[in-house]
C-alpha cells in the first residue's frame, strides 16, 4: 500500500495566508455514528429508503453544530447506485445530489461536509439496497475553536518515492506523518487527501491523531485499484497524523 497525503488546510493562528474567512469548526476523535452491519436496531437500507441518525450525541460535538464532516461508505450494495446525505427535511429524489457513488460488491467511501437538521441529525437516502457506515471527524460550529481555511496544496508524503515515508506500507503498519514543516506551529487539525495506490487486497486505511484509538476507516480499498478520499483530522501535539493500512 502506498499513501499520498496532500493539502493541510486547517489553522487557528499564523501560517500560510488563507483565502476568505476561516470556517469555524471543532475537530473530534473519529467516531462511528452509523453502521447498519452491526446494529440490531438499524437494518440494511432498501432501494429508495431514507434513514435518520444523530450527530449531536457524539462526544465533543458542540450543541450549536450546524454541519458535520463525515466519511460515508456503502458496503455490499446490490447494484450500481448512490447515497445522498442531507438534513432531514423534504428533498425530492430528483433534487438530491450523491454523496457517494458505487458499484456492486465491496465497500466504497467518500467524505463530505453535510448540513445538520435543527435537532442535530442527518438523513441518508439510498438509491439501491446497501449497508451504510458513517463516521464523523469534525463539525462546523459558531463556537468552534479552530478555523478551516484554504492554503496552497502541498504533498507531504509519497511512499512510492520515499517522500515522508521510506517505503511501501504493509498491513497493520502504522506510520506517523509529520506536518510541522508545512503548517503554522499552532495548527491543530488538517484537511488531507489520502490515496492508496495498488493495494494488495480488500481493506481500509485509518487516519487519526496518533492516539492509537482509531477504529474508523478513512479510506476503503480494493485490490490493485488506486483510490483516494479526503477528510478533516485532528493532529497530535507534535503536528502529526498516524496512518495505518
Amino acid at each position: 500500500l502506498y499513501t499520498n497525503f496532500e493539502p493541510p488546510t486547517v489553522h487557528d493562528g499564523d501560517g500560510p495566508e488563507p483565502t476568505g474567512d476561516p470556517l469555524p469548526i471543532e475537530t473530534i476523535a473519529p467516531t462511528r455514528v452509523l453502521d447498519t452491519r452491526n446494529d440490531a436496531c438499524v437494518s440494511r437500507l432498501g432501494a429508495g429508503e431514507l434513514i435518520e441518525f444523530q450527530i449531536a450525541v457524539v462526544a465533543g460535538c458542540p450543541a450549536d453544530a450546524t454541519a458535520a464532516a463525515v466519511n460515508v461508505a456503502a458496503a455490499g450494495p446490490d447494484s450500481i447506485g448512490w447515497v445522498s446525505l442531507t438534513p432531514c427535511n423534504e428533498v425530492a429524489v430528483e433534487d438530491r445530489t450523491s454523496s457517494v457513488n458505487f458499484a456492486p460488491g465491496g465497500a466504497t467511501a467518500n467524505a463530505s461536509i453535510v448540513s445538520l437538521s435543527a435537532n442535530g441529525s442527518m438523513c441518508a437516502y439510498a438509491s439501491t439496497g446497501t449497508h451504510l457506515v458513517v463516521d464523523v471527524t469534525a463539525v462546523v460550529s459558531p463556537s468552534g475553536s479552530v478555523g478551516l481555511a484554504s492554503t496552497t496544496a502541498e504533498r507531504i508524503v509519497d511512499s512510492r518515492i520515499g517522500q515522508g515515508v521510506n517505503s511501501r506500507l504493509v498491513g497493520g503498519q502504522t506510520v506517523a506523518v509529520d506536518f510541522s514543516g508545512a503548517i503554522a506551529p499552532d495548527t491543530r487539525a488538517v484537511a488531507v487527501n489520502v490515496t492508496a495506490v495498488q493495494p494488495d487486497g480488500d481493506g481500509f486505511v485509518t487516519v487519526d491523531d496518533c492516539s492509537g484509538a482509531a477504529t474508523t476507516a478513512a479510506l476503503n480499498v480494493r485490490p490493485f485499484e488506486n483510490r483516494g478520499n479526503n477528510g478533516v483530522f485532528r493532529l497530535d501535539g507534535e503536528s502529526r497524523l498516524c496512518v495505518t493500512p
Side-chain angles (χ1 to χ4, degrees):
L1 174 68
Y2 294 107
T3 57
N4 305 323
F5 278 85
E6 291 184 21
T9 61
V10 181
H11 75 98
D12 59 354
D14 298 329
E17 185 67 22
T19 58
D21 295 328
L23 180 69
I25 67 169
E26 191 65 48
T27 57
I28 58 179
T31 303
R32 183 147 293 170
V33 292
L34 178 68
D35 188 343
T36 62
R37 303 167 303 176
N38 301 311
D39 192 329
C41 299
V42 181
S43 61
R44 177 184 176 91
L45 274 70
E49 185 174 353
L50 187 74
I51 186 173
E52 181 176 6
F53 53 95
Q54 273 289 335
I55 300 293
V57 296
V58 174
C61 179
D64 59 355
T66 58
V70 297
N71 188 67
V72 54
D78 294 336
S79 61
I80 293 174
W82 49 273
V83 165
S84 174
L85 298 181
T86 63
C88 296
N89 48 20
E90 293 296 328
V91 180
V93 174
E94 60 269 21
D95 293 331
R96 289 188 173 274
T97 57
S98 64
S99 301
V100 61
N101 298 281
F102 47 78
T108 304
N110 194 35
S112 183
I113 297 178
V114 183
S115 295
L116 300 178
S117 306
N119 65 352
S121 68
M122 185 181 297
C123 275
Y125 172 91
S127 69
T128 189
T130 185
H131 278 298
L132 198 62
V133 182
V134 180
D135 304 323
V136 59
T137 60
V139 294
V140 177
S141 163
S143 61
S145 60
V146 297
L148 177 64
S150 61
T151 77
T152 302
E154 181 177 351
R155 180 156 294 173
I156 305 300
V157 166
D158 190 337
S159 60
R160 298 171 299 181
I161 59 174
Q163 178 185 347
V165 174
N166 291 331
S167 61
R168 178 181 171 92
L169 277 66
V170 299
Q173 176 185 358
T174 298
V175 294
V177 178
D178 184 3
F179 287 84
S180 60
I183 57 177
D186 57 355
T187 300
R188 295 168 53 188
V190 288
V192 299
N193 187 76
V194 56
T195 302
V197 181
Q198 298 292 296
D200 294 333
D202 288 310
F204 60 91
V205 177
T206 64
V207 178
D208 71 355
D209 60 358
C210 300
S211 62
T215 58
T216 63
L219 173 66
N220 295 89
V221 300
R222 297 296 303 274
F224 311 112
E225 288 185 11
N226 299 344
R227 284 192 178 185
N229 199 9
N230 57 75
V232 178
F233 299 98
R234 183 168 59 190
L235 296 167
D236 74 355
E238 299 178 39
S239 298
R240 302 180 307 170
L241 286 179
C242 280
V243 56
T244 306

